[in-house]
Amino acid sequence: MADPMPDLAAANTGVGAMRTALDGAALQDWLQAHVAGFSGPLEIGQFNGGQSNPTYRLTTPDARYVLRRKPAGPILKGAHDVLREARVQQALAGSDVPVATIRAVCEDESVLGSAFYVMDMVDGRVFWDAALTQIPIGERAAYYDEMNRVIAALHSVDYAAIGLGDYGRPGNYFARQIARWTRQYEEDELAGRDPDLDALVAWLPTAIPDGDETSIVHGDFRCDNMIFHPSEPRVLAVLDWELSTLGHPLADFAYHAMFYRMPPDIVAGLGGVDPEGLGLPSQEAYIEAYCRRTGRQAIGNWDFYLAFNFFRLAAIFHGIKGRVLRGNASNAQAASRAEAFPRLARLARDCVGI
């Protein structure tokens, strides 16, 4: 099977033109004062990826770092909170969840015009193709098992013990998330409305399953948000923690496992493909592995969890559409993401047949 998304991978890999400028002199002075062992001169390049928050590679003669900042221009309230990204990664350091080492955090917006943080650059591989066609077919299942291990480990972390007891509000996660993304969707009038998403806005609050749990949730746990070892089926760092909070682990896991239905041209997905024919576990086997690792017998109401997550991702893409129209989208692929928004809304509605 050929790589279904070479253009997406190429567009999000490496360093390209600076789309959101940085004051290099001010940044170098700040790094000199706040990052242990830092020594210039400093070379700055902006990663082609970094859909939501502009992301930069910082290179010195002795080290390489990554800087994440809020985008320029007006943003929705509560969005693009890079300080939360830094906090959760700092808290998870030393756990079974691999994260990059955070070197410094800047809350002073006068330095670069917005808050930012700096972390070590982790060398490895990022897979934009959920079929993992770059890997020999007999080795692919081990990479899936590693992703399964990492998300199960995340949901097993004692969040209070690592200082994240106030990282979100425990309980009632689905009702709060549905309300949050409904609000962001409806408030972004420039991006417009969609009948499928409107239907989910009305239906989802009435269908929330009984039972409640709380764990750290990543919020965007996908193969392309992880850096794998250069040659082994091992995750070296989970990236892009902007949407992380305290929430329901089954919401987070269903979002991750949504790739089984996700069209590969939208984000990394296997939609319309037989996974076992590619050397990958079936959806049922993948769910069973997660249940085994987290002590569950099974997961009921799976269609609700999928519909909720397609709804949530559609709302995120709706926000990207709004940023495109306002002219402050940070990623070169933002326009295609905006165009994919109505397809995601339809997929969300199709999960439950309303």
Side-chain angles (χ1 to χ4, degrees):
M1 176 181 176
D3 185 348
M5 49 182 10
D7 294 338
L8 181 60
N12 285 278
T13 301
V15 174
M18 292 283 283
R19 303 180 304 280
T20 305
L22 292 182
D23 184 335
L27 176 59
Q28 179 161 319
D29 289 344
W30 188 89
L31 293 169
Q32 192 76 51
H34 294 88
V35 175
F38 177 85
S39 179
L42 175 66
E43 179 183 334
I44 305 172
Q46 185 167 1
F47 284 104
N48 292 323
Q51 173 63 50
S52 181
N53 293 317
T55 306
Y56 304 83
R57 183 180 67 191
L58 311 180
T59 304
T60 73
D62 301 315
R64 291 191 299 170
Y65 309 93
V66 173
L67 182 149
R68 292 265 286 175
R69 62 169 293 179
K70 291 184 178 182
I75 59 176
L76 294 173
K77 182 180 179 181
H80 312 288
D81 193 342
V82 295
L83 300 180
R84 283 179 64 83
E85 285 191 7
R87 181 185 174 192
V88 69
Q89 290 175 92
Q90 288 171 317
L92 288 168
S95 74
D96 289 334
V97 181
V99 291
T101 299
I102 306 297
R103 293 298 176 184
V105 178
C106 181
E107 301 182 35
D108 182 357
E109 296 189 356
S110 69
V111 177
L112 295 181
S114 66
F116 65 91
Y117 69 91
V118 176
M119 60 185 173
D120 285 348
M121 183 166 172
V122 179
D123 289 316
R125 294 174 294 171
V126 175
F127 299 113
W128 290 91
D129 169 13
L132 304 185
T133 52
Q134 297 168 265
I135 300 171
I137 192 168
E139 300 175 16
R140 294 173 190 169
Y143 285 80
Y144 267 54
D145 194 59
E146 170 69 352
M147 289 193 294
N148 192 286
R149 179 198 69 79
V150 172
I151 194 168
L154 175 64
H155 296 162
S156 301
V157 169
D158 184 338
Y159 58 86
I162 63 171
L164 294 180
D166 62 346
Y167 195 62
R169 285 189 291 165
N172 205 30
Y173 176 76
F174 287 106
R176 290 187 288 105
Q177 282 286 299
I178 293 165
R180 172 191 174 183
W181 292 108
T182 295
R183 182 172 63 253
Q184 291 207 14
Y185 163 62
E186 293 179 343
E187 288 180 355
D188 197 343
E189 296 180 0
L190 185 61
R193 300 289 288 272
D194 178 273
D196 293 321
L197 215 61
D198 286 342
L200 269 296
V201 164
W203 180 82
L204 284 170
T206 71
I208 298 172
D210 293 334
D212 209 353
E213 303 174 43
T214 300
S215 72
I216 304 170
V217 296
H218 179 273
D220 200 12
F221 196 91
R222 306 193 312 253
C223 65
D224 51 297
N225 276 335
M226 300 175 225
I227 298 177
F228 286 83
H229 186 277
S231 61
E232 300 173 9
R234 180 157 55 92
V235 175
L236 300 181
V238 179
L239 306 176
D240 199 358
W241 292 85
E242 178 193 349
L243 298 175
S244 63
T245 187
L246 298 184
H248 201 298
L250 294 184
D252 206 33
F253 177 68
Y255 175 89
H256 169 56
M258 188 170 62
F259 65 80
Y260 279 103
R261 295 197 191 183
M262 179 66 69
D265 62 309
I266 297 181
V267 293
L270 297 174
V273 175
D274 171 25
E276 293 177 287
L278 297 173
L280 305 172
S282 67
Q283 175 182 269
E284 292 73 22
Y286 200 73
I287 293 171
E288 288 173 5
Y290 174 80
C291 289
R292 182 176 65 253
R293 286 183 162 113
T294 55
R296 301 175 187 276
Q297 294 299 313
I299 300 176
N301 301 293
W302 185 246
D303 287 344
F304 168 87
Y305 297 127
L306 286 177
F308 164 77
N309 278 295
F310 272 113
F311 159 80
R312 178 174 163 273
L313 188 60
I316 292 170
F317 275 40
H318 182 263
I320 294 171
K321 179 181 178 181
R323 291 199 297 276
V324 169
L325 294 173
R326 284 186 287 273
N328 65 340
S330 69
N331 186 286
Q333 293 297 302
S336 63
R337 295 283 174 95
E339 291 174 1
F341 155 66
R343 291 173 61 198
L344 284 173
R346 167 51 60 178
L347 284 165
R349 191 172 185 178
D350 286 348
C351 284
V352 287
I354 59 171

